[in-house]
Amino acid sequence: MIDLHMHSLYSDGMYSPDDLMAKVAEKKLKAVALTDHDSILGCLEFAKAGEKHKVLTIHGSELSANYPKVSMEIVALDIPEKNLSAFAEFQKAMKAERVRVTEERLKLLDGLGMHIDRNEVFFDKDGNLRNQVGKPHIVQALLKHGYINNWDEGFSKYMNKGCPAYVSKNEPLFKDVISFVLDNGAVPVLAHPVHTKKVGNDLFELIKELKSCGLMGIEVFHSDHNKELKAEYLAMIKELKMISAGGSDFHGGAHPDVEIGCGKGDLKVPDVIFEVIKTREKTTDGYYSELAKYF
């Protein structure tokens, strides 16, 4: 089994790439990818740890993308090492935008009587400036001060869209994100289609549009996808002759019900996904039949 979607402390995960790989090794996974939000800073450390534990790795990153009225992120997979610096440059503006959004969220929470010192969010427990800040770091501070009772309350009551501490981000246009990924030798796939809130034919038409811009596949396999959704998404990519990607979307404390490799308990991401991404081979009916075995 494999896991091509997980996060480290270089974005909003709770573990270093090295500690994350130790957990991967415990699960005896064949291949993995670190896909930090708008960051590639942990990729080389993760790959080095993979060599130590004899686990195959590819470089990845989950990129913010603006599509009108749709929640969308594009995962770049198998980024060539020589192009990591290009990704780092591309992501500078996204990092600055995350800082702006976090500052505004803290102001809104302060107005609600929930005061959090910015240093609690922007610096880790050892006093080091975080590479990137996001919602989990704010929720962690809210928990620490007793303003909320659990992680889910922090997101659902204050952080998510429509909530009192929600702030929208200015993100690069989806077409530009996909083009950038392709131009730099990586594989662009749509992250967790269920999060787009599009269903049925509306989702199919969205994926068709994204394919016309160069999207190569979608995450059929994800911790938030049940058996029925996986079957629906598989049918879509088979008709469009696209590839599947997938993984647990492991963060650590922010999503305590999600584990590396198995998601919420029943996730199985087949090896063939990794093999096709690495070789860039054309998909066949046999490819889709193999994927269906893992629902």
Side-chain angles (χ1 to χ4, degrees):
M1 294 295 101
I2 65 173
D3 191 334
L4 303 183
H5 192 153
M6 59 183 72
H7 300 274
S8 77
L9 51 70
Y10 282 104
S11 65
D12 56 351
M14 295 296 131
Y15 296 96
S16 70
D18 196 58
D19 290 341
L20 196 58
M21 182 56 74
K23 290 182 172 294
V24 166
E26 290 175 4
K27 298 288 185 178
K28 302 187 184 306
L29 298 178
K30 177 181 178 180
V32 291
L34 179 64
T35 56
D36 278 323
H37 293 286
D38 301 324
S39 176
I40 48 77
L41 292 182
C43 285
L44 293 178
E45 182 183 340
F46 192 65
K48 185 177 180 180
E51 292 176 5
K52 173 184 172 184
H53 289 282
K54 295 180 171 54
V55 177
L56 297 174
T57 62
I58 53 175
H59 301 314
S61 185
E62 187 172 11
L63 305 175
S64 303
N66 179 14
Y67 188 103
K69 298 182 180 179
V70 173
S71 175
M72 181 179 294
E73 290 174 304
I74 302 297
V75 177
L77 291 171
D78 201 23
I79 303 169
E81 189 168 314
K82 66 179 182 180
N83 292 338
L84 287 176
S85 58
F87 272 79
E89 188 64 29
F90 182 77
Q91 292 167 343
K92 278 184 179 179
M94 299 183 196
K95 181 177 179 180
E97 181 63 6
R98 286 179 179 275
V99 170
R100 180 193 70 81
V101 168
T102 300
E103 296 275 18
E104 292 195 22
R105 286 184 185 276
L106 292 177
K107 289 179 183 177
L108 290 171
L109 289 169
D110 196 60
L112 296 171
M114 293 182 283
H115 177 69
I116 298 172
D117 189 296
R118 76 181 300 279
N119 289 343
E120 295 180 67
V121 174
F122 284 89
F123 291 81
D124 65 22
K125 60 181 176 58
D126 298 318
N128 301 309
L129 181 66
R130 298 186 193 276
N131 166 68
Q132 193 178 103
V133 289
K135 292 185 289 186
H137 303 118
I138 299 176
V139 173
Q140 193 172 36
L142 290 172
L143 272 170
K144 174 185 172 183
H145 288 281
Y147 293 130
I148 56 175
N149 296 310
N150 52 61
W151 281 94
D152 184 63
E153 182 183 353
F155 290 103
S156 63
K157 191 173 180 180
Y158 296 105
M159 296 289 111
N160 293 342
K161 193 170 185 178
C163 296
Y166 173 78
V167 178
S168 62
K169 286 189 297 186
N170 295 315
E171 299 166 331
L173 192 64
F174 69 98
K175 295 179 182 179
D176 296 335
V177 173
I178 294 171
S179 293
F180 172 80
V181 174
L182 289 170
D183 289 346
N184 283 279
V187 175
V189 298
L190 176 65
H192 33 61
V194 69
H195 293 182
T196 67
K197 307 300 183 186
K198 294 278 187 179
V199 298
N201 192 60
D202 287 343
L203 177 61
F204 183 75
E205 291 301 320
L206 172 63
I207 296 171
K208 272 180 63 177
E209 180 184 0
L210 296 176
K211 182 187 177 185
S212 72
C213 298
L215 190 80
M216 295 175 67
I218 69 173
E219 286 186 331
V220 171
F221 297 86
H222 185 271
S223 295
D224 292 336
H225 296 170
N226 59 28
K227 183 177 181 179
E228 289 72 29
L229 286 176
K230 291 172 192 171
E232 180 183 352
Y233 298 158
L234 176 59
M236 290 182 183
I237 64 167
K238 183 177 181 180
E239 182 169 345
L240 294 171
K241 295 181 170 57
M242 299 175 77
I243 67 169
S244 171
S248 61
D249 205 352
F250 178 79
H251 287 72
H255 303 281
D257 58 335
V258 173
E259 284 291 334
I260 291 171
C262 61
K264 295 177 181 177
D266 60 352
L267 180 69
K268 295 179 181 178
V269 186
D271 296 354
V272 68
I273 286 177
F274 178 78
E275 293 160 7
V276 168
I277 287 173
K278 283 297 294 180
T279 62
R280 310 295 202 269
E281 290 179 356
K282 289 186 177 180
T283 56
T284 63
D285 286 346
Y287 170 76
Y288 300 112
S289 296
E290 182 67 15
L291 295 180
K293 296 176 182 178
Y294 293 85
F295 291 176

